[in-house]
């Protein structure tokens, strides 16, 4: 499957793993890249530029294939802007294949010198956005590719609540650079649908969490197989509306408490003990899925097994080919009337 995405990043298949705090580490990134997709090393896992440098080296020992590094450009106490700037410099110094920026645009959040720095180093920069407006800005300031994420996605969807099915063709019509679709992607049918809507590839995260190589407690894998598409909810609007964001997470005991605190007018000081990243870090390891805010997408409804990454990718490619063939078979042979009809 050759698309502008596989050409840009040099991967075999048009599938990327999204950033995942505490999950997207060298072993999972390498497993995904070795399977022909684009693995993700999430910089937020690390506390210093040196730690990220070591993680890049470790990933390179595990794979010769390209992988992408996520930098989440959002205000954070643990990851101040200066550290994110250092992460960006390390990625340029190490000449990694590509950077995935999620959050505010690099030119505004880190500074105008950073995108030219990446260009100079030959590092491709992709921006994950949740609106058409932000996609257009990304192209204008010089990003190489865009991921458009609908509000089905796990993590921090845009507060506009527009689905991938609508956002993807809108963005494809507005920009010329490669576009990846995210949110609701978990199998080959989604990949085929995204390609048909004009995408150059897809990005997914929850599906990669549900693989044998993701280092989480077996209970988490069990929960991912049991939960359905209506088992996640949108949260933290009161806290994140200033940034145009909200959080999609698994509906659980902690998120009920978060809602109660928000309804009672609680602020960040009240919410932080419930939503802290450290709490999630412990839960991924220890397995009690009720004890933290777990950023899971609606795509969890499409998951009912825990395959190896290699088996997942191979199955997805076969499914996508099947879905594309099926659609092709619906056309009567040599039907080219659509070209005239569209241009009319
Ligand atoms: C466990 C987990 C952790 C995540 N952490 C981050 C993160 O640190 N930075 C980020 O930009 N997105 C993060 N996300 C969001 C994903 O990168 C991606 O945008 C989203 O999950 C796509 O939707 P899907 O999970 O339904 O495929 C996370 C998602 C998951 C499932």
């Amino acid at each position: 499957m050759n698309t502008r995405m596989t050409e840009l990043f040099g991967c075999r298949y048009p599938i990327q793993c999204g950033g995942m705090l505490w999950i997207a580490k060298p072993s999972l990134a390498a497993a995904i890249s070795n399977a022909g997709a684009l693995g993700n090393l999430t910089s937020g896992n690390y506390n210093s530029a040196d730690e990220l440098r070591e993680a890049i080296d470790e990933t390179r020992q595990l794979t010769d294939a390209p992988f992408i590094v996520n930098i989440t450009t959002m205000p954070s106490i643990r990851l101040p802007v200066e550290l994110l700037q250092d992460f960006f410099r390390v990625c340029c110094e190490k000449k990694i294949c590509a950077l995935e920026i999620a959050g505010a645009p690099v030119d505004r959040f880190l500074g105008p010198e950073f995108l030219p720095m990446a260009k100079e180093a030959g590092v491709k920069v992709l921006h994950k956005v949740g609106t058409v407006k932000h996609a257009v800005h990304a192209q204008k300031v010089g990003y190489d590719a865009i991921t458009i994420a609908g509000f089905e996605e796990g993590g921090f969807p845009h507060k506009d609540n527009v689905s991938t099915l609508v956002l993807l063709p809108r963005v494809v019509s507005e920009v010329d650079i490669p576009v990846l679709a995210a949110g609701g992607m978990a199998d080959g049918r989604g990949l085929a649908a995204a390609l048909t809507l004009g995408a150059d590839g897809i990005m997914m995260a929850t599906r990669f969490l549900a693989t044998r190589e993701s280092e989480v407690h077996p209970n988490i894998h069990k929960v991912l197989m049991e939960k359905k598409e209506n088992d996640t909810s949108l949260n933290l609007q009161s806290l994140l509306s200033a940034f145009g964001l909200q959080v999609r997470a698994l509906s659980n005991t902690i998120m009920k408490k978060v809602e109660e605190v928000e309804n009672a007018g609680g602020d960040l000081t009240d919410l932080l003990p419930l939503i802290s990243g450290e709490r999630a870090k412990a839960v991924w390891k220890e397995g009690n899925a009720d004890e933290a805010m777990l950023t899971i997408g609606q795509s969890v409804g499409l998951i009912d097994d825990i395959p190896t990454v290699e088996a997942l990718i191979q199955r997805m490619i076969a499914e996508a080919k099947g879905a594309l063939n099926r659609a092709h078979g619906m056309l009567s042979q040599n039907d080219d009337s659509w070209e005239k009809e569209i241009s009319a």
Side-chain angles (χ1 to χ4, degrees), residues 7 24 48 58 66 73 78 105 111 122 128-129 138-139 174 198 217 222 232 234 244 256 289 316 335:
E7 274 166 32
S48 70
E58 190 183 335
T73 44
R78 190 175 67 86
K128 175 168 71 175
V129 299
Q139 169 165 284
E174 295 290 330
H217 192 280
K222 194 162 164 274
T232 72
L234 292 166
K256 268 197 204 95
M316 283 184 65
D335 180 358

Side-chain angles (χ1 to χ4, degrees), residues 18-21 23 42 70 72 102 128 152-155 182-185 203-206 209 284 295-299:
M20 284 193 275
L21 186 63
I23 307 291
T42 296
N70 168 287
T72 303
K128 175 168 71 175
E152 303 95 322
E153 73 159 342
M185 298 296 150
M203 178 271 269
M204 51 187 204
T206 305
L209 183 63
W284 296 129
T295 50
I296 301 287
Q298 289 184 336
S299 58

Side-chain angles (χ1 to χ4, degrees), residues 17-35:
C17 176
M20 284 193 275
L21 186 63
W22 310 133
I23 307 291
K25 294 187 284 192
S27 54
L28 180 61
I32 294 169
S33 291
N34 283 334

Side-chain angles (χ1 to χ4, degrees), residues 54-114:
E54 281 166 28
I56 291 172
D57 290 345
E58 190 183 335
T59 312
R60 281 182 169 161
Q61 274 159 21
L62 299 171
T63 184
D64 293 330
F67 58 91
I68 192 164
V69 175
N70 168 287
I71 299 182
T72 303
T73 44
M74 282 192 232
S76 158
I77 301 165
R78 190 175 67 86
L79 303 165
V81 174
E82 296 72 26
L83 181 55
L84 301 183
Q85 290 172 331
D86 281 348
F87 285 162
F88 199 105
R89 289 189 193 99
V90 165
C91 291
C92 292
E93 162 203 315
K94 288 279 182 188
K95 297 196 185 302
I96 58 151
C97 159
L99 267 165
E100 177 194 55
I101 303 298
V106 164
D107 53 308
R108 298 208 181 130
F109 199 78
L110 301 185
E113 69 276 30
F114 283 87

Side-chain angles (χ1 to χ4, degrees), residues 223-224 227-235 247-259 288-298 300:
V223 166
L224 291 170
K227 295 295 179 184
K228 294 288 166 265
E229 57 282 358
N230 56 346
D231 284 321
T232 72
S233 55
L234 292 166
N235 312 270
V247 170
R248 182 176 294 284
L250 191 70
S251 306
N252 62 10
T253 310
I254 280 287
M255 294 327 284
K256 268 197 204 95
K257 281 192 194 154
V258 165
E259 196 184 336
N288 185 348
D290 260 327
E291 286 295 314
M293 180 174 86
L294 300 179
T295 50
I296 301 287
Q298 289 184 336
V300 72

